[in-house]
Amino acid sequence: MTDHSLHTDLFSPTQLGGLSLANRFVMAPLTRSRAGDDGVPTELHAAYYAQRASAGLLISEAVNISAQGRGYNLTPGIWTEQQVAGWKKVTDAVHAAGGKIVAQLWHVGRYSHVDLQPGGVAPVAPSAIKAEGVTFTPNGVAEVSMPRALETSEIPGIVEQYRHAAECAKRAGFDGVEVHSANGYLLDQFLRDSTNHRSDAYGGSIENRARLTLEVTDTVAKVWGADRVGIRLSPVTPNAGNTPLDSDVMALYGYLIPQLNRFGLAYLHVVEGATGGSRELPPGVDLDALRKLFDGAYMGNNGYDLELAMDRRAKGLIDTVAIGRPFIANPDLVARLRHGKELAVAPHEAYYGGGAKGYIDWPVAA
């Protein structure tokens, strides 16, 4: 019988800061849109995550930190007591199955719609620049709305939303949290000069544009202890509104990543290429060079199969590997990879919305 664990340490236990993992495989965050309008996780969520607990670490689907931070209907939140109770069922089920799970903290910023915002107000953003694309609202699919620029005086309130969500995640029983500063959402919008045209302390220079991500990370680390906090970055992905890249990717992340070192984070999670798409990089961008700037554990993500993961691990280019879509149809993905079993493929219509079908009805391999 095939046993790939004889040729790589990916299947062996490892440590990510304060997180002891059974192996180096991570289930990447996957939006599945199975919550209700109240954003409360259900027994379905508990079953879904528990089925996949053999991954070394589960990163939750992106979780709204506030009503303002919501950009898609039927996505879960982590700011009300009912949501905390719902997530507690999830974390209890994962722990009972021997797994570890962190909550990915999410504010979508400009990628939202007035029908998703409290009082029907405009979404917030660093600058009043409209995103491209559509989103799912309670009234169906709609083009995202024009945002308004946050006032400087409002930004401490954004940081407070992250602090409150981090506290809620702690009470919900998570093992840690991941700051979502990627994929064209709020923190990423502040980072990029394509979406940040501010002239205050949060705009203009790279140092100013990185300020909010660093303030949020610092605040969340004070709640959890930095060794249970990770951060996700996507230097070259245009997701969420076809967000243009920063004009100088290497300079921006060449500043941000060393600044993150002062916290002593559990890990840096990087989307290598365009999320869910090509691993090809623009001219002049070297993500491996940026990776070397981080003092802690590095989590590679995007288009990984076992061969690529083994190769990059053997070269010392990753510490852990985050895999997304294959986990949808293969709850026992780690065992299938270890023993060379065929992988099931989920149809796209199973990704978002619905109930148990296409969510918790995938069998494990014999």
Side-chain angles (χ1 to χ4, degrees):
M1 177 185 287
T2 301
D3 187 350
H4 288 296
S5 68
L6 300 176
H7 310 291
T8 179
D9 68 354
L10 287 169
F11 297 93
S12 302
T14 191
Q15 195 77 18
L16 281 189
L19 302 168
S20 299
L21 310 186
N23 54 68
R24 294 175 185 266
F25 291 95
V26 177
M27 187 174 93
L30 292 161
T31 295
R32 302 301 306 279
S33 303
R34 256 69 175 192
D37 289 337
D38 57 6
V40 176
T42 68
E43 299 291 349
L44 275 181
H45 292 82
Y48 167 76
Y49 283 105
Q51 286 174 350
R52 290 153 180 80
S54 58
L57 180 66
L58 304 175
I59 303 176
S60 79
E61 60 207 280
V63 182
N64 304 307
I65 62 168
S66 66
Q68 181 197 68
R70 188 167 165 246
Y72 304 82
N73 197 32
L74 307 182
T75 51
I78 190 75
W79 77 90
T80 72
E81 289 307 308
Q82 293 81 5
Q83 292 164 354
V84 169
W87 279 116
K88 187 68 167 63
K89 295 177 183 176
V90 174
T91 61
D92 284 349
V94 169
H95 295 151
K100 299 284 174 66
I101 182 170
V102 298
Q104 190 189 60
L105 304 182
W106 191 30
H107 191 307
V108 303
R110 71 179 189 154
Y111 203 86
S112 187
H113 188 275
V114 293
D115 288 352
L116 292 161
Q117 293 292 309
V121 300
V124 299
S127 301
I129 303 171
K130 189 177 180 295
E132 297 178 17
V134 298
T135 188
F136 304 103
T137 80
N139 301 309
V141 176
E143 187 176 320
V144 294
S145 298
M146 180 70 183
R148 69 169 180 86
L150 283 159
E151 299 291 339
T152 307
S153 61
E154 294 179 282
I155 292 181
I158 297 291
V159 178
E160 171 58 22
Q161 289 177 28
Y162 280 94
R163 188 205 63 77
H164 176 69
E167 292 275 11
C168 288
K170 202 167 191 179
R171 289 190 289 109
F174 282 97
D175 296 292
V177 293
E178 178 176 288
V179 175
H180 193 351
S181 187
N183 289 26
Y185 295 115
L186 183 67
L187 297 182
D188 200 13
Q189 292 160 24
F190 269 87
L191 288 174
R192 301 184 189 202
D193 56 12
S194 62
T195 45
N196 184 342
H197 294 178
R198 302 176 70 89
S199 59
D200 64 358
Y202 293 88
S205 68
I206 286 174
E207 292 82 359
N208 283 355
R209 285 183 277 121
R211 190 182 308 277
L212 183 57
T213 289
L214 294 170
E215 287 181 353
V216 166
T217 305
D218 182 41
T219 296
V220 170
K222 285 174 179 172
V223 171
W224 271 94
D227 65 347
R228 288 184 177 268
V229 175
I231 187 168
R232 189 187 208 200
L233 304 176
S234 60
V236 298
T237 193
N239 289 50
N242 198 24
T243 307
L245 304 187
D246 189 78
S247 62
D248 193 337
V249 170
M250 293 301 288
L252 172 60
Y253 291 92
Y255 171 79
L256 175 63
I257 292 172
Q259 290 295 312
L260 292 170
N261 285 331
R262 70 176 189 249
F263 302 118
L265 299 178
Y267 64 85
L268 172 65
H269 177 185
V270 175
V271 180
E272 300 164 350
T275 305
S278 172
R279 289 181 56 83
E280 186 176 345
L281 302 177
V285 174
D286 184 347
L287 294 185
D288 287 336
L290 292 175
R291 172 204 154 277
K292 293 176 183 176
L293 300 176
F294 189 65
D295 292 341
Y298 176 84
M299 184 183 295
N301 182 324
N302 205 40
Y304 275 87
D305 57 15
L306 182 59
E307 182 181 10
L308 178 62
M310 289 175 64
D311 178 64
R312 285 181 60 78
R313 175 62 191 149
K315 293 174 180 175
L317 296 175
I318 60 171
D319 295 293
T320 57
V321 56
I323 299 176
R325 284 174 291 188
F327 266 108
I328 293 176
N330 302 278
D332 57 339
L333 181 64
V334 176
R336 291 191 190 217
L337 293 175
R338 176 172 179 169
H339 298 296
K341 299 283 188 180
E342 184 179 358
L343 300 186
V345 178
H348 190 271
E349 55 266 27
Y351 287 8
Y352 307 111
K357 183 174 173 55
Y359 190 56
I360 62 169
D361 57 352
W362 296 100
V364 298

